Amino acid sequence: MRRVVITGAGTVNALAVGVPATMAAMAEGRCGIGPIDIADVDRLSIRIGAQVAGWDAGARFDRQKLTLYDRFTQFTLVAAAEAVAQSGLSFDGPLSQASGCIFGTAAGGMTTWDENYRAVYAEAKNRVHPFVVPKLMASAAASHVSMAWGLKGPVYTVSTACASSNHAMGLAFQTIRSGQAKVMLTGGAEAMLTFGGIKAWEGLRVMSPDGCRPFSADRNGMVMGEGAAVFVFEDYDHARARGADILAEVAGFGMTSDAGDIVAPSVDGAARAIAAALRDAGLSADDVGYVNAHGTGTAANDRVEAAALRQVLGDIPVPVSSTKAMHGHVIGGTGAIELLACLMALRDGVIAPNLGCSAPDPDCPLDIVSLAARRAKVGAVLSNAFAFGGLNAVLALRQA
Amino acid sequence: MTLPDRVIAILAEQAVLDPSDLTPEARLSDLGLDSLGLVEAIFAIEEAFDISVPFNANEPDAGQFDLTSVASVIAAVEQLVAQKAA
C-alpha cells in the first residue's frame, strides 16, 4: 500500500480566508461567532452563527461563472486554489488523469434552494434562472474543481451529514493508498446559514441562542458556521520525487455506523471508529498527542464522545479540543476545517483552544485545552466526526 | 375540547397511549416519550395553540417550561396562552 501525505491546504471560514490567517486566529483563540446577517433574520429565534463576513463573490468570480456557483461552490473553489498553489502542482499531462477530487457536503447548494424557493413560493414568481439545477446539486463543487484544474480521475461528492468531509477525506486517502490516483483534492464545504437552513435546525431544539461551549457544564447547544477547507492529498513517493513540502502524513481512517438512532449518538459506534482509525494507522493510544473532537456543544454529543475517547484511549490524558466554538459547526464541511487545527498541532506544536469551556462538565472527564492555546510536541492526531444517523468517521494524521 | 384535553391528546399521541391513560400526575419520563417524541409534542403544542414554547433539548430542565408532568405541561401551556391574549 502507498503512503499518503498532505502537500497543500486552503480554507474559507468565519475566522479568515486563507490558512495562515485561520491558524493565527485559532492560535490566539478568536471566536468567529456573532450576529448573522441574512434575509428575514427577525423571524428566527436563533440569530447567531459563524458567518463568512463581507464575502464579495463578484470580486472573486466573473459574472458568467457566478451564475453557476452556489455559495458552497464559491468557498470550495477559493479554498482549492489556495491548496493547489501551496502544493506547487500543475495537472498537465498524465497527472491530470491520475488526479481527482472528493468533497463532503451535507446540503450542497442550500443558498440556491433557499433563494429560489423564496422566489417561487414567497414572491410568487413563475420563473427561475435556467441554471438552478446545476448550481444547487451537491456535486457541483466537485465538478467545478475538476474543471478548473483538469482533474480527470475519480471525482465525486459524499454526503453523510456532519461527517461528510471526514468521509470524503478518508475516501481520498484510500483512493491514493490503493494506487487509483496520485493526487486527490479533498475536504468539504457547507453554506447552510440561510433562513430555511437555520429554521430547519431550530426545529430540532439543539441550537444555542447565545454561544458554542463544547464540553462546558453550561453548554446549551450548537452554533452553525459556514465555509470550506480543501487539502491536496498526494502519493508520498510522488511528493518526495518532486521535492514537495509535506505538511503531514495521512496515517489512517476509521468509519463505522451506530445502526441505532437517527439523531442520538452511541458510545459504541464512536469508539469503534476511533479504534479503527488507530488500527488502520498502526498507532497506539499513547502515540496520540491531540484529538480534535467533534464537540458540538450539545448535551448528547459531548458526553458520548468523552466516553468513547476514554474507552479507546484509556485514562491517558490526551489533550482534546473542539474548535467549533471558534468557526462554528460547519456541518458537512466541519471536519475539513477542523483538520487545519490538526495540521497546526503537528506542524507548529500549537493546540487550538476549546473556547467557552470555563467550567468543564464533570461527565466529560477529558484533558480539555480550554480557553487558550497550548504548546505541545504532537506526533500524531485524531480528528473525530460523528454524524446524525450514526455515521462516524475518524482520521489519523502523523508528522511526515 | 378544553385546553387540558387538547394537551393530553397531543402527549398521548406521541406516547402512543390512549388519552384516558394520562393522569395529570403522570410524569413525562414515565410515558415512554423519547427525545424526538418530546420535540414533536412541543411542536404540536406550538401549532395547536399558536404559541412559542421555550425549550432547548440541551437543557430540558432549564425551568422555562416545566415538562415534569402532564399537569405541569398543561399549566405552562395555559400560561403561554394567557400571555398571548394579554
Side-chain angles (χ1 to χ4, degrees), chain B:
Chain B
M1 241 197 305
T2 63
L3 183 148
D5 286 343
R6 290 169 74 191
V7 172
I8 286 171
I10 289 167
L11 294 174
E13 188 185 1
Q14 285 300 328
V16 201
L17 293 169
D18 191 274
S20 62
D21 295 335
L22 271 66
T23 62
E25 304 78 38
R27 299 177 69 82
L28 260 53
S29 52
D30 295 334
L31 296 181
L33 273 178
D34 64 8
S35 63
L36 280 182
L38 189 59
V39 167
E40 274 202 84
I42 289 168
F43 168 69
I45 287 170
E46 289 182 321
E47 288 286 282
F49 299 101
D50 191 24
I51 54 175
S52 280
V53 174
F55 172 74
N56 181 337
N58 296 291
E59 37 184 15
D61 305 323
Q64 298 156 303
F65 189 88
D66 188 349
L67 290 159
T68 312
S69 65
V70 172
S72 76
V73 172
I74 291 169
V77 173
E78 282 173 336
Q79 196 184 347
L80 286 172
V81 170
Q83 280 170 7
K84 195 183 79 163

Side-chain angles (χ1 to χ4, degrees), chain A residues 273-296:
Chain A
I274 296 166
L278 284 175
R279 197 164 53 242
D280 191 45
L283 293 168
S284 63
D286 51 8
D287 294 324
V288 178
Y290 170 57
V291 177
N292 185 288
H294 191 56
T296 57

Side-chain angles (χ1 to χ4, degrees), chain A residues 209-224:
Chain A
D210 51 26
C212 178
R213 297 179 290 275
F215 301 111
S216 190
D218 66 349
R219 70 194 181 284
N220 61 0
M222 53 174 274
V223 175
M224 192 153 55

Side-chain angles (χ1 to χ4, degrees), chain A:
Chain A
M1 286 198 298
R2 296 167 179 280
R3 291 172 67 188
V4 181
V5 293
I6 301 177
T7 56
T11 188
V12 174
N13 64 80
L15 294 172
V17 176
V19 172
T22 297
M23 287 189 180
M26 285 179 169
E28 74 184 46
R30 184 142 49 82
C31 178
I33 293 168
I36 47 172
D37 176 20
I38 59 167
D40 295 327
V41 71
D42 55 311
R43 287 177 54 210
L44 294 169
S45 61
I46 300 299
R47 298 178 183 181
I48 59 168
Q51 196 172 19
V52 176
W55 180 253
D56 185 358
R60 294 180 181 274
F61 304 103
D62 68 43
R63 195 187 57 80
Q64 276 181 310
K65 292 273 176 61
L66 266 185
T67 61
L68 289 162
Y69 294 169
D70 181 88
R71 191 171 171 91
F72 94 106
T73 298
Q74 297 167 24
F75 291 159
T76 307
L77 282 164
V78 170
E82 182 187 8
V84 172
Q86 182 180 23
S87 77
L89 283 166
S90 63
F91 297 91
D92 307 325
L95 187 60
S96 171
Q97 293 184 25
S99 303
C101 62
I102 306 174
F103 293 117
T105 186
M110 189 82 177
T111 310
T112 303
W113 284 107
D114 205 65
E115 285 172 354
N116 287 281
Y117 275 156
R118 183 187 299 275
V120 295
Y121 294 143
E123 296 164 5
K125 289 186 178 162
N126 284 323
R127 193 180 295 119
V128 296
H129 190 278
F131 300 158
V132 168
V133 168
K135 193 175 177 183
L136 62 75
M137 57 194 193
S139 51
S143 291
H144 285 297
V145 167
S146 150
M147 289 184 273
W149 282 279
L151 312 176
K152 296 182 177 175
V155 172
Y156 58 97
T157 292
V158 296
S159 189
T160 51
C162 304
S164 298
S165 54
N166 267 24
H167 274 110
M169 293 187 290
L171 291 168
F173 162 62
Q174 292 177 340
T175 302
I176 295 171
R177 188 163 67 166
S178 67
Q180 290 179 69
K182 294 280 185 214
V183 177
M184 294 294 290
L185 301 198
T186 187
E190 203 72 66
M192 215 197 254
L193 281 175
T194 64
F195 179 77
I198 298 169
K199 199 45 121 177
W201 275 102
E202 274 183 12
L204 272 172
R205 310 272 182 165
V206 296
M207 306 285 280
S208 168
D210 51 26
C212 178
R213 297 179 290 275
F215 301 111
S216 190
D218 66 349
R219 70 194 181 284
N220 61 0
M222 53 174 274
V223 175
M224 192 153 55
E226 63 173 0
V230 174
F231 301 89
V232 176
F233 281 16
E234 187 171 354
D235 179 297
Y236 172 74
D237 294 334
H238 189 271
R240 277 296 298 271
R242 67 185 186 89
D245 181 20
I246 293 172
L247 305 179
E249 177 168 3
V250 187
F253 176 53
M255 50 181 163
T256 63
S257 174
D258 296 346
D261 191 277
I262 195 66
V263 290
S266 98
V267 174
D268 173 68
R272 285 187 295 111
I274 296 166
L278 284 175
R279 197 164 53 242
D280 191 45
L283 293 168
S284 63
D286 51 8
D287 294 324
V288 178
Y290 170 57
V291 177
N292 185 288
H294 191 56
T296 57
T298 60
N301 175 85
D302 294 1
R303 286 177 189 167
V304 165
E305 184 167 18
L309 284 170
R310 296 277 293 205
Q311 189 173 311
V312 181
L313 301 180
D315 297 332
I316 310 163
V318 179
V320 174
S321 71
S322 163
T323 46
K324 286 185 173 71
M326 292 190 278
H327 51 66
H329 190 339
V330 191
I331 315 294
T334 209
I337 290 169
E338 288 159 31
L339 206 70
L340 295 169
C342 295
L343 288 182
M344 185 169 79
L346 289 170
R347 293 269 289 178
D348 305 333
V350 176
I351 296 178
N354 187 118
L355 296 189
C357 185
S358 45
D361 181 348
D363 286 335
C364 301
L366 299 168
D367 176 13
I368 306 288
V369 180
S370 56
L371 308 179
R374 186 189 297 176
R375 287 219 153 265
K377 192 167 166 16
V378 176
V381 302
L382 294 174
S383 187
N384 289 345
F386 307 127
F388 271 175
L391 311 184
N392 311 302
V394 178
L395 287 158
L397 268 54
R398 70 159 75 90
Q399 278 193 352

